[in-house]
Amino acid sequence: MSIFKELKAYTREFTRHWLQYLMLFLSLNLINQFIVIPLFRYVTTFVLQASAIPFVSYQNVVTIITTHTLVFVILIIELLLLLVVIYAQFAYLLHGVRAIYSENFTFKGSFKETWANVKKIRFGSLLLLGLYFLLVVPFADIVFRTPLLAKIQIPEFILDYMTRTPILLTILIVFYAVVLLFGIRLIFTLPLMVFGQKKTRTAMKKSWQLTKNAKWWAIILRLIIIGIFVSAILAIFYLAVYGLQLGWDLLPGKYPVLVLAIINLSLIQIGSELVFIWASVISLLIIFAPLKITPINEATEKMPAGKILKTFTAVVFGLIVVTSVVTNILYLVGVNSHAPVVISHRGVDDKNGVQNTLESLRKTAKEKPDYVEIDLHETRDKQFIVVHDDNLQKLTGVNKTPSELTLKQLTKLTAKEDGHEAKLVSFDNYLKEAQRLNQKLLIEIKTTPQDSKTMLERFNQKYGQTIIKNKYQVQSLDYRVIEGLHEINPRLFVLYIQPYNFTYPRSVADGYSMEYSTLNSDFIWQAHLQDHPVYAWTINDEKLMMKMMYEQVDGLITDKVSLAKKTIKQFQDDYSYANRILNYIIVARMPNDLEA
């Protein structure tokens, strides 16, 4: 059978039982959104709060292991339980698709079979299972992307760091190539575990055998074709709805057009979900075929939907429609499009100078960002220098740390970047120039093991009143700085920088600054309930800027101030419903998207 005839046969199967497939996938999404993800977040947050641990990162993991051993054990248990939950969800999905294809699907039956799989998991196999999920997560987008798996990703700032030098870039490419190879070769592992009742190690070996001699190519080719079809279908569908709204926007009257816009936006959400579920079902059936789990050409009659299934469908669909309509109204009338503050990352705008220098400050201030973000290090003579890196080699060619040189020695060094050069500057001089320019600052305090014990006290004593008077803000990646400044001077506005997000915002910080790739609307909503702002870093792409505005972040930390201001103005000033729908298509359908 040719590939296209095979896909046509699978599509016929999907259309016969589309309601059952829809409920299978939606039920899993609802479980994730309203039970699994909140439960794990609340448990993690509660455990950390109960132990007075505000965060978990490389800065305090050793301390947690040595002084909070019970907390460490609980977090490890939670991680193992998360692996079990991920396995259970895939098992539920596989059993459900197979049962629907075989005309005998019931929720009770799928849950029962899933539980049978979960009971056979042994502690020794969890490590292998964890390794397997790390390998197959890159393929989850192709087959099925759950909101839970969407949380498992490498933060963008790490990927950005890995692409800065040829050596690191090579390492990153080799890493992804190896992951890709193993992910393809182990693609049958989960179905073999779920349907064949095989142990993890045995299923991996069997999958490796089934994909030898490039036998995997036939499956990957089909998945690629499915991806192309999905992209084409959605592009045509989105363009049609957008064009329709363009015509409707010309109609007289505001409210009738708004109603039509709500209908169109809801159609986009529902249509997109159906297309993605169709693609997921087809992808799973493609993976099933070599294992002979379900015959491709088996003739079946249409399976009637039971009373329970119909009731469940009506309730879920009603909830989705109501939620969708409410959120769409809020979005279309502009409630969600509040303007975030624009923060110049390291004081530059589109490579207009050397970061953290007076020359770039003067140029960037002309663009009128709300804040200029700078970085401070303590010097050997207990002063403060405006510089980002722990080592001066990259910018100045001097293989020293700021703590090894005095302020006088540091300010004699010339930094070079992006075709510009300028002297390093003391914080005192930078502060004076910022006041002269009437430019607000977001001051990041960098810390190292060499810092003096009285650094924060001296910082507050020397600069605290000036910072408060000019309404500047302070931030740090080191939570000890947050706690210390909060205790020394509660009037200072201090944000905690988080490179990743897996708990709810609970700390003494006045706000949060988070790397955008793990930031989500749930965290932002929780922070806003506490009246705490959330800034996203580092946002240099127009689509990402719109996405962050859609998710209601309070600030954009960016290297492109002019682009950010222009994007915000366009996003707020354009009241065309058609263009708001277009913004939604661009923003909400991006990777790491909002769950509508």
Side-chain angles (χ1 to χ4, degrees):
M1 183 183 296
S2 71
I3 294 177
F4 294 101
K5 286 184 178 179
E6 185 179 328
L7 296 180
K8 186 177 179 181
Y10 289 148
T11 301
R12 281 199 304 268
E13 157 59 24
F14 175 80
T15 55
R16 281 201 302 267
H17 304 137
W18 70 272
L19 181 61
Q20 287 78 15
Y21 287 122
L22 180 65
M23 287 302 100
L24 175 69
F25 281 79
L26 287 182
S27 64
L28 189 56
N29 271 332
L30 290 173
I31 290 171
N32 276 317
Q33 289 289 85
F34 297 105
I35 299 177
V36 176
I37 294 174
L39 179 62
F40 274 95
R41 281 186 178 276
Y42 275 118
V43 169
T44 303
T45 304
F46 174 78
V47 170
L48 294 178
Q49 278 190 311
S51 305
I53 302 172
F55 67 101
V56 177
S57 79
Y58 66 90
Q59 293 179 325
N60 69 343
V61 66
V62 175
T63 303
I64 292 175
I65 295 172
T66 55
T67 62
H68 297 86
T69 307
L70 180 60
V71 174
F72 177 72
V73 171
I74 293 174
L75 292 177
I76 292 298
I77 292 173
E78 188 179 358
L79 177 61
L80 296 176
L81 287 174
L82 180 61
L83 289 176
V84 173
V85 169
I86 293 174
Y87 171 72
Q89 291 191 359
F90 272 109
Y92 169 75
L93 190 65
L94 295 178
H95 281 303
V97 171
R98 183 188 189 186
I100 293 171
Y101 192 95
S102 303
E103 304 277 348
N104 61 358
F105 171 74
T106 62
F107 284 113
K108 182 179 179 181
S110 293
F111 281 124
K112 185 177 179 180
E113 290 177 313
T114 300
W115 178 242
N117 286 123
V118 171
K119 287 194 298 184
K120 293 186 177 181
I121 295 178
R122 297 295 176 264
F123 178 79
S125 65
L126 282 176
L127 291 179
L128 275 177
L129 197 59
L131 175 62
Y132 170 71
F133 283 130
L134 288 176
L135 293 172
V136 301
V137 160
F139 297 97
D141 271 326
I142 301 174
V143 178
F144 178 57
R145 185 67 162 168
T146 73
L148 183 59
L149 284 180
K151 309 300 177 188
I152 304 174
Q153 58 182 309
I154 301 175
E156 287 292 331
F157 76 95
I158 295 178
L159 296 179
D160 177 64
Y161 176 79
M162 292 294 291
T163 58
R164 291 181 182 177
T165 65
I167 294 177
L168 291 176
L169 179 59
T170 301
I171 293 172
L172 185 65
I173 292 172
V174 171
F175 169 77
Y176 273 113
V178 171
V179 169
L180 180 65
L181 172 63
F182 277 87
I184 291 172
R185 296 296 302 273
L186 298 177
I187 196 168
F188 294 125
T189 301
L190 203 58
L192 288 168
M193 290 176 64
V194 172
F195 298 126
Q197 305 295 321
K198 295 182 182 296
K199 295 181 179 179
T200 308
R201 187 186 300 273
T202 305
M204 285 182 170
K205 288 181 178 179
K206 181 65 175 176
S207 179
W208 197 268
Q209 292 173 357
L210 290 171
T211 54
K212 66 182 180 180
N213 300 324
K215 292 180 181 178
W216 49 267
W217 173 244
I219 296 172
I220 299 303
L221 178 60
R222 285 161 172 77
L223 294 179
I224 291 173
I225 292 173
I226 286 294
I228 294 172
F229 276 160
V230 168
S231 300
I233 292 169
L234 289 180
I236 295 170
F237 176 56
Y238 291 157
L239 284 173
V241 175
Y242 173 66
L244 191 62
Q245 189 62 49
L246 278 175
W248 284 351
D249 280 351
L250 299 176
L251 295 176
K254 178 180 178 181
Y255 293 105
V257 179
L258 174 61
V259 172
L260 295 173
I262 294 169
I263 293 172
N264 272 340
L265 191 51
S266 300
L267 282 175
I268 285 175
Q269 293 164 341
I270 295 170
S272 300
E273 194 67 29
L274 283 172
V275 170
F276 285 128
I277 292 175
W278 164 78
S280 298
V281 171
I282 302 300
S283 299
L284 287 174
L285 292 176
I286 287 170
I287 294 172
F288 288 175
L291 302 178
K292 303 188 185 304
I293 293 173
T294 52
I296 295 176
N297 294 316
E298 181 177 321
T300 57
E301 295 181 359
K302 187 173 181 179
M303 177 173 55
K307 184 177 180 180
I308 295 178
L309 184 60
K310 288 181 178 178
T311 303
F312 180 77
T313 303
V315 171
V316 172
F317 189 76
L319 288 173
I320 291 174
V321 168
V322 171
T323 304
S324 178
V325 169
V326 171
T327 55
N328 290 346
I329 291 173
L330 292 174
Y331 172 66
L332 289 168
V333 298
V335 173
N336 284 341
S337 59
H338 76 294
V341 296
V342 176
I343 304 164
S344 168
H345 186 224
R346 303 185 192 177
V348 299
D349 175 27
D350 202 13
K351 301 181 180 180
N352 64 349
V354 181
Q355 59 178 278
N356 286 310
T357 61
L358 292 179
E359 287 79 357
S360 60
L361 169 64
R362 294 181 186 119
K363 293 178 183 177
T364 302
K366 293 178 181 178
E367 299 298 330
K368 301 187 183 303
D370 297 286
Y371 292 91
V372 162
E373 184 261 350
I374 62 172
D375 307 278
L376 298 189
H377 273 280
E378 187 183 45
T379 67
R380 194 178 76 184
D381 54 344
K382 309 299 184 291
Q383 303 299 315
F384 292 93
I385 187 75
V386 184
V387 69
H388 176 273
D389 296 345
D390 292 341
N391 190 292
L392 303 167
Q393 177 73 41
K394 182 180 177 182
L395 284 178
T396 69
V398 177
N399 189 19
K400 295 283 186 179
T401 64
S403 61
E404 293 178 300
L405 300 175
T406 64
L407 183 64
K408 185 176 181 180
Q409 291 171 323
L410 285 163
T411 52
K412 289 181 178 179
L413 298 179
T414 300
K416 298 179 180 180
E417 185 179 42
D418 297 323
H420 304 277
E421 60 179 65
K423 295 289 186 180
L424 296 186
V425 59
S426 68
F427 182 46
D428 292 275
N429 288 339
Y430 199 101
L431 197 60
K432 289 177 183 177
E433 186 65 11
Q435 289 177 285
R436 186 185 72 81
L437 296 169
N438 196 28
Q439 176 61 64
K440 289 184 180 180
L441 299 178
L442 173 59
I443 305 157
E444 179 177 345
I445 297 178
K446 297 284 188 180
T447 60
T448 69
Q450 289 73 42
D451 294 332
S452 64
K453 293 182 180 179
T454 59
M455 180 183 72
L456 295 182
E457 285 85 351
R458 285 184 294 99
F459 174 84
N460 174 67
Q461 185 177 10
K462 192 171 183 181
Y463 306 112
Q465 291 305 314
T466 301
I467 291 172
I468 295 170
K469 178 183 177 181
N470 291 281
K471 297 182 179 180
Y472 297 165
Q473 298 179 354
V474 181
Q475 65 175 0
S476 182
L477 186 65
D478 190 337
Y479 192 76
R480 292 169 299 180
V481 173
I482 312 301
E483 287 184 312
L485 289 180
H486 179 75
E487 183 177 347
I488 294 168
N489 190 348
R491 294 174 62 201
L492 289 173
F493 191 92
V494 186
L495 298 101
Y496 174 41
I497 302 173
Q498 294 188 228
Y500 38 72
N501 161 38
F502 58 86
T503 62
Y504 288 120
R506 299 286 188 275
S507 72
V508 298
D510 299 299
Y512 300 89
S513 179
M514 186 175 292
E515 202 277 332
Y516 76 87
S517 63
T518 62
L519 179 60
N520 56 42
S521 55
D522 193 21
F523 183 95
I524 296 169
W525 175 68
Q526 290 278 342
H528 285 175
L529 287 178
Q530 303 170 47
D531 199 27
H532 290 163
V534 178
Y535 299 163
W537 55 273
T538 303
I539 313 296
N540 294 325
D541 180 82
E542 185 177 358
K543 293 179 182 178
L544 279 174
M545 292 173 184
M546 289 193 295
K547 175 178 172 59
M548 291 298 104
M549 283 187 279
Y550 185 88
E551 293 188 343
Q552 300 188 65
V553 297
D554 303 282
L556 302 178
I557 300 178
T558 177
D559 296 310
K560 299 185 178 183
V561 173
S562 305
L563 177 63
K565 292 174 75 71
K566 177 183 176 183
T567 303
I568 291 172
K569 189 176 188 305
Q570 288 177 342
F571 192 81
Q572 288 210 303
D573 290 350
D574 193 345
Y575 290 99
S576 161
Y577 291 128
N579 283 332
R580 286 197 176 274
I581 288 176
L582 182 61
N583 284 338
Y584 175 85
I585 292 171
I586 294 172
V587 172
R589 306 318 306 182
M590 291 175 66
N592 187 33
D593 63 355
L594 289 168
E595 285 80 24

